[in-house]
Amino acid sequence: MARVRGPARYPRPSTTRLIVCQVVVIGTLSVIAAALGGGQTARDAVMGGLVSLIPSFYFAWRLFGQSQRLTGAAGRLYKAEAGKFGLTVALFAIVFALVPPSNPTFFFLTYVATIAVHWLAPWLVRRQSSPRN
């Protein structure tokens, strides 16, 4: 007779490396922006990176920071992605309404570079090992 278990669980991945890599990209591009254009340009680079980093952090927290059950995983994925999209739109609106970037090139360059770090996710995000039953 097979043993009946509860809902399937999966090991929660560690997204720390991905977030740290994004912070490093923001820092590096901010230093380059400061060297090329001064403090105002560096501020624009930081804002562009934060517009990408904050929604990414929210997505990781919403998707992986809660339940580990596979039940409802697709729903959590859709809700996390919708929240990330909404947060990104809100942050863009806030930045352009309250503090318009003086150098949009570095703002968008840092935003895109921080987003591009997600391409490295398969190598940066490692699953925590789980004991086999």
Side-chain angles (χ1 to χ4, degrees):
M1 178 185 267
R3 208 167 101 179
V4 177
R5 298 181 187 177
R9 293 185 176 271
Y10 62 96
R12 184 176 17 201
S14 174
T15 57
T16 306
R17 288 184 190 177
L18 183 64
I19 300 293
V20 167
C21 191
Q22 287 180 320
V23 170
V24 167
V25 165
I26 293 169
T28 303
L29 288 175
S30 297
V31 168
I32 292 170
L36 294 176
Q40 197 76 355
T41 306
R43 181 196 61 141
D44 295 341
V46 169
M47 284 192 313
L50 289 178
V51 168
S52 173
L53 180 68
I54 293 169
S56 296
F57 185 74
Y58 170 80
F59 179 83
W61 169 76
R62 181 79 180 185
L63 187 62
F64 301 122
Q66 298 174 350
S67 174
Q68 292 183 352
R69 281 189 253 139
L70 286 176
T71 315
R76 280 196 317 274
L77 176 69
Y78 289 129
K79 287 177 185 175
E81 188 60 39
K84 179 182 174 184
F85 179 74
L87 191 54
T88 302
V89 169
L91 288 172
F92 267 116
I94 289 169
V95 165
F96 284 108
L98 299 179
V99 190
S102 62
N103 190 339
T105 303
F106 272 102
F107 177 84
F108 286 110
L109 177 70
T110 308
Y111 174 78
V112 169
T114 307
I115 291 282
V117 171
H118 288 282
W119 295 342
L120 304 175
W123 296 282
L124 294 172
V125 175
R126 302 269 187 234
R127 291 204 180 271
Q128 297 171 352
S129 60
S130 62
R132 301 218 175 212
N133 292 336

